[in-house]
């Protein structure tokens, strides 16, 4: 371990910008970005599945509120949503006297709420479209087996819709990774925040931001590879078979 540390220090010797200290800031930013994106995607996906089912309902009193929510969050910039939640939580009457204040006064959690609500809105519409595209033959076959609406939704419609929605949802994951770059505007030390710190300290914009661009590029390719792997496994039956 000591040999690796010595080799690393020798590698960075003579480099005025990418020192162990500045790379530590990039590492902290990478951890923050990964946590923020991962948690918001998980929470957004959990919210989006039931919302997509409700959005697909034929009853207007169920589908219209969900439509309004998705319309608002897809129709306004994520940066504005982040500002409203981050700065607006202070103006909620009595919030500073509740147990939630120690959590909400930290920039990470308002950012997490904004990102979750935003990705949930997009994911809801992605899944709604996939649910609507379910083949009538699959539904009729499920009814012929005597399945109830809930059982049919759980065993037939949702698994089929998830497979169809996978490519579009992969794009949404990449979008959220790129959109996380705005988290630094609310004092979070994410990847972009680390690049801004290095730029402000060394006045080297190209070095600071090109390095963080490479990190985002590597993360994007990793996500693409993961979703291509899922598509290969889950959509194998759609590939043409060799005769």
């Amino acid at each position: 371990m000591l040999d690796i540390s010595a080799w690393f220090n020798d590698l960075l010797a003579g480099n005025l910008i990418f020192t162990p200290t500045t790379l530590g800031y990039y590492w902290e930013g990478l951890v923050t970005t990964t946590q923020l994106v991962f948690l918001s995607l998980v929470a957004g996906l959990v919210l989006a599945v039931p919302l997509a089912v409700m959005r697909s309902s034929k009853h207007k009193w169920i589908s219209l509120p969900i439509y309004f929510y998705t319309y608002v969050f897809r129709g306004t910039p994520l940066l504005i949503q982040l500002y409203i939640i981050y700065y607006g939580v202070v103006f909620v009457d009595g919030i500073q006297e509740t147990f939630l204040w120690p959590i909400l006064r930290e920039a990470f959690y308002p950012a997490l709420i904004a990102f979750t609500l935003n990705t949930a809105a997009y994911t809801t519409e992605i899944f709604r479209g996939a649910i609507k595209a379910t083949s009538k033959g699959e539904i009729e076959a499920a009814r012929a087996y005597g399945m109830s609406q809930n059982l049919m939704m759980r065993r037939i419609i949702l698994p089929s819709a998830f497979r169809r929605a996978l490519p579009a949802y992969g794009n949404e994951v990449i979008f959220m990774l790129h959109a996380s770059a705005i988290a630094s505007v609310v004092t979070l030390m994410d990847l972009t925040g680390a690049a801004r710190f290095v730029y402000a300290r060394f006045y080297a914009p190209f070095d600071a931001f090109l390095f963080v661009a490479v990190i985002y590029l590597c993360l994007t390719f990793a996500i693409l590879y993961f979703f291509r792997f899922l598509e290969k496994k889950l959509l194998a039956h759609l590939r043409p078979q060799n005769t």
Side-chain angles (χ1 to χ4, degrees):
M1 189 67 181
L2 292 176
D3 293 339
I4 296 177
S5 178
W7 172 82
F8 187 69
N9 289 329
D10 291 339
L11 181 65
L12 297 177
N15 192 314
L16 298 179
I17 299 176
F18 298 111
T19 64
T21 301
T22 56
L23 290 179
Y25 284 110
Y26 279 112
W27 174 254
E28 179 185 349
L30 176 61
V31 172
T32 301
T33 295
T34 304
Q35 288 178 339
L36 181 61
V37 173
F38 177 77
L39 292 176
S40 63
L41 286 171
V42 171
L45 183 61
V46 171
L47 287 174
V49 173
L51 289 178
V53 175
M54 296 169 65
R55 176 78 175 86
S56 304
S57 174
K58 297 179 180 179
H59 302 289
K60 296 296 184 181
W61 62 275
I62 296 177
S63 62
L64 280 180
I66 310 303
Y67 168 76
F68 178 75
Y69 157 68
T70 59
Y71 181 83
V72 169
F73 276 87
R74 293 192 305 143
T76 55
L78 177 56
L79 179 61
I80 302 301
Q81 299 165 20
L82 178 59
Y83 277 145
I84 290 175
I85 294 175
Y86 178 72
Y87 293 110
V89 71
V90 180
F91 297 98
V92 177
D93 291 336
I95 189 67
Q96 298 185 24
E97 285 75 36
T98 66
F99 70 94
L100 294 175
W101 179 243
I103 299 175
L104 293 178
R105 70 181 178 183
E106 300 292 334
F108 181 85
Y109 295 100
L112 179 60
I113 293 172
F115 281 37
T116 297
L117 293 176
N118 184 273
T119 189
Y122 280 94
T123 307
T124 296
E125 289 299 325
I126 291 172
F127 283 169
R128 182 195 71 87
I131 290 173
K132 289 293 186 181
T134 302
S135 170
K136 292 184 178 180
E138 295 182 34
I139 297 176
E140 291 174 358
R143 288 174 177 168
Y145 271 98
M147 289 187 180
S148 65
Q149 183 67 27
N150 291 335
L151 185 61
M152 181 171 57
M153 180 66 69
R154 189 171 69 250
R155 291 190 175 181
I156 304 297
I157 298 178
L158 286 181
S160 177
F162 177 78
R163 289 192 294 269
R164 284 191 299 274
L166 198 57
Y169 184 66
N171 293 333
E172 169 62 14
V173 172
I174 294 174
F175 168 78
M176 286 306 301
L177 173 64
H178 295 168
S180 68
I182 68 172
S184 60
V185 301
V186 291
T187 71
L188 272 180
M189 182 58 80
D190 66 339
L191 280 171
T192 307
R196 286 180 176 176
F197 173 81
V198 174
Y199 162 60
R201 185 173 180 180
F202 297 98
Y203 301 101
F206 290 104
D207 301 79
F209 289 106
L210 283 176
F211 184 73
V212 82
V214 171
I215 297 176
Y216 277 116
L217 192 63
C218 293
L219 292 174
T220 300
F221 276 121
I223 294 171
L224 282 173
Y225 178 82
F226 174 72
F227 275 93
R228 293 296 179 269
F229 173 79
L230 285 181
E231 290 176 26
K232 184 178 179 181
K233 293 294 183 182
L234 298 179
L235 302 177
H237 62 286
L238 298 180
R239 295 200 304 270
Q241 301 293 325
N242 294 326
T243 58

